Every structure is written in C-alpha cells, then in structure tokens.
Amino acid sequence: MTGGTPLIELRGVSKSWRAGGRTIEILRDVNLAVGYGERLALVGPSGAGKSTVLHVLAQLTGVDRGELRFAGRRVAGENRTERNALRRSIGLVFQDAKLIPGLNVMENVCVPLMHRGLWPARQRRLAGRMLAEVGLTERIDHRPDQLSSGEMLRVAIARALVIRPRVVLADEPTGALDSATGARVVELLFSAVTRERALVMVTHNKELARQADRMVEIRDGRILH
C-alpha cells in the first residue's frame, strides 16, 4: 500500500500463547496496512502466524502489544462499542466454510442478517441476490451435505458479503479445492473488492497470491519486507 490512510492497519502487534509452562511467540512486532480497494495476499509457511493476523484483524483474539486501527481510528480492545462496530464491518471466509449443517443454503446466508434484526422477508431478498451473484440460485434449499466443497465455499462467500462488509478476510479459501475450483473462488473474492472494500486473503499458493494487488510474506511471526 502507498499513500493515504489505510482502511485497516496493525501497528507493532505482538501476540503470544502460554503452553506447557512456556511462552510461544506467535506474532512479533507486526505492521500491516491495507488500503481502500486493495486485494492483499498474505503468504508464508504453516505456523508462520498468517491465521493469527486474520484473527486479530477480525477482533477474534486480543494482542499483547500494539494496536489495530480501522478507517484511521484506533480500536481499543476494552471498548465494546468500537469492537462491535469493526466486527460488523468484517466478512469472514474460512477454508472449511463453517456452514451450519442443520440449515439450508438460504438460511446459512441469512444468519448474519438475523443478528442485525432485519425482517425475514428482507433477509431472504438480500440473501437471494447474493446467492445469485455467486451462481447458487438453484441450490438455495440444499443443505451443506448436499453441496460440493466449491459450492460450500461460494455459500460462505455469499454469507460474508451479504452484510456489505468494508473488509473481507479469507483464511486459506482454496486450500481444500482443486485448482479450477480454487481459481473460481479467488475470482469471486477478487471481484467483490470495491473502492470502499478491501480483501485480505491468507494462502499457501503463491501462484494465486501473485494475482492480488500486493503479496506480503510472514515468517516466524514477522512480516518480511
């Protein structure tokens, strides 16, 4: 990223875990700025800290040191209002989709809208539009176990985008897919980026990562420049 105020940013972030009586450093003084309209790919070996970066950005985990900034403002970990405002601006896509088994496709995409208190008819209308965008209109009544891996990822993308997030975070979205299906999923994620929305995608696949606007590598919890 060059110039301007980042949409979302980590400044001097460090994170560790306690395990077996010792401290394991996961992130070490991480600085990462993602601009408006940017498609950023975060790459690195297993255990490098990629997923932890996403969890910090999504406020799913706290940090030992450093700060998270969103649209130029510091998000204080102890301020519930600020945390909730950021979480409402984040769309999450996981490698295993994390769909709810007992719900059909339409119901899964409606879940984040339910938490926003929208009327059921409006939920279905918004979810239906998003499912049409990812090419799953004919699957709305199917349950997750009736879908392929690629279809489940597309449902997860629809669920992430239906809330119109400012930032989309995707954790290894192509890791369990064949190359053709993975390319389709990445295409959907990339096409969802607008001038006001950014994407941060964690991946092991550097070939896919090179299609992003910028590729950042992390090793041993440190960003390599």
Side-chain angles (χ1 to χ4, degrees):
M1 178 194 153
T2 57
T5 300
L7 175 55
I8 195 164
E9 180 182 15
L10 299 180
R11 291 186 178 181
V13 165
S14 295
K15 172 73 178 177
S16 61
W17 300 106
R18 290 287 295 174
R22 63 193 184 98
T23 299
I24 301 173
E25 291 186 282
I26 308 298
L27 299 179
R28 309 179 190 203
D29 195 29
V30 167
N31 294 289
L32 181 67
V34 185
Y36 290 80
E38 184 173 22
R39 301 174 300 183
L40 183 143
L42 186 62
V43 301
S46 296
K50 303 185 301 298
S51 294
T52 303
V53 168
L54 288 198
H55 290 171
V56 172
L57 290 171
Q59 286 285 278
L60 297 177
T61 188
V63 300
D64 301 332
R65 294 181 301 280
E67 65 180 34
L68 168 64
R69 301 182 73 85
F70 179 66
R73 298 185 59 183
R74 180 177 181 272
V75 179
E78 66 277 3
N79 189 313
R80 183 176 297 178
T81 300
E82 290 180 356
R83 291 202 316 270
N84 289 340
L86 174 58
R87 286 171 178 164
R88 287 193 297 270
S89 299
I90 298 288
L92 286 165
V93 180
F94 298 97
Q95 178 178 343
D96 60 357
K98 295 192 183 297
L99 303 183
I100 300 174
L103 303 182
N104 65 27
V105 165
M106 172 66 76
E107 292 164 340
N108 265 283
V109 178
C110 284
V111 167
L113 299 173
M114 293 170 56
H115 294 314
R116 298 188 176 209
L118 298 184
W119 288 99
R122 179 160 173 76
Q123 292 176 28
R124 292 184 65 84
R125 186 163 60 251
L126 293 173
R129 289 176 186 168
M130 192 54 60
L131 285 166
E133 288 190 27
V134 300
L136 288 174
T137 298
E138 296 181 358
R139 295 293 222 171
I140 60 174
D141 294 322
H142 291 218
R143 297 190 185 277
D145 62 2
Q146 298 172 306
L147 305 176
S148 68
S149 297
E151 287 170 336
M152 286 193 287
L153 257 297
R154 282 191 278 160
V155 175
I157 291 171
R159 183 180 59 189
L161 298 180
V162 76
I163 60 171
R164 298 186 179 184
R166 301 286 300 283
V167 182
V168 178
L169 304 176
D171 194 357
E172 295 285 1
T174 66
L177 305 177
D178 62 77
S179 58
T181 305
R184 170 62 175 150
V185 165
V186 170
E187 180 184 352
L188 283 171
L189 289 169
F190 281 6
S191 65
V193 176
T194 67
R195 287 184 297 178
E196 298 299 319
R197 176 186 291 159
L199 166 70
V200 181
M201 179 181 70
V202 161
T203 181
H204 280 96
N205 190 327
K206 286 193 175 182
E207 182 179 343
L208 290 177
R210 290 189 185 99
Q211 298 174 36
D213 300 316
R214 183 161 56 107
M215 182 171 66
V216 173
E217 186 170 3
I218 183 170
R219 285 181 178 273
D220 299 321
R222 297 184 186 275
I223 298 290
L224 304 183
H225 297 283

